[in-house]
Amino acid sequence: FSVSRGPIRDALRILEREGLVTILARRGAIVTELSAKELRELLEIRAGLFEIVVRKLVAQPDEHLIALLDSGVARLEMLAALPDAGDAYAETTYRMLILCARQCGNLRLQRMLTAISLQTLRYSKLGLASMARRQRSASLWRQATAALRARDAERMVALARQRIEESGEEAIAQLSHRSAQGVAP
């Protein structure tokens, strides 16, 4: 691609800082392995950060945001019905989370949630691989959007936590299954 080594090194350092690669001296970089422990830690942080976002959104509801979330949920419901749409579904949920974070009015919170959500994206793809899991997730997104519309912060927080925890549990089950079969995570 006619790119010098400097920008490649910088990009790898950013990926290392985000926990996505490990740089080995004089050997290059490798993608970090997925682990249940890391996932639990990341999801705990992500759920806490997203709760702050939810409370800010409910305090100042934005009809434009609600319309965008309705559109996003419709896309999720469509993807949930397709057998091989797990990756696209996970990427759409990532975009919806980031959209919510952008609307909360706290740039630092937005950056933190974006970074942690990027780290959890590869786990989300595992947790949302099955159609049944995606359909459940889409239902929770639909209910959360209704809670936002009703300005019910407690309900929206509970639904967000439930969605995050259920996807996390499924990703951990998938990691355990792969490990038992001797497949690299």
Side-chain angles (χ1 to χ4, degrees), residues 83-147:
D84 295 325
D87 287 359
Y89 186 98
E91 290 162 10
T92 302
T93 62
Y94 169 80
R95 287 185 193 100
M96 290 172 67
L97 285 168
I98 302 313
L99 175 67
C100 290
R102 284 184 181 153
Q103 295 299 313
C104 79
N106 182 325
L107 186 57
R108 194 172 302 260
L109 177 58
Q110 175 192 332
R111 286 181 186 149
M112 292 171 74
L113 189 59
T114 298
I116 205 85
S117 294
L118 182 59
Q119 291 176 39
T120 60
L121 183 58
R122 56 193 182 151
Y123 291 104
S124 295
K125 289 180 179 186
L126 276 177
L128 295 165
S130 77
M131 284 178 58
R133 181 63 211 110
R134 290 193 306 273
Q135 289 168 347
R136 172 75 176 141
S137 171
S139 171
L140 293 171
W141 270 103
R142 175 70 63 199
Q143 292 173 58
T145 303

Side-chain angles (χ1 to χ4, degrees), residues 3 6 8 10 14 33 35 39 59 70 73 89 95-96 114-115 117 126 131 141 147-148 160 164-165 168 171:
V3 177
I8 301 297
D10 291 343
I14 291 168
E33 289 191 30
S35 79
L39 177 58
D70 281 335
V73 169
Y89 186 98
R95 287 185 193 100
M96 290 172 67
T114 298
S117 294
L126 276 177
M131 284 178 58
W141 270 103
L148 176 60
I164 290 168
E165 288 171 5

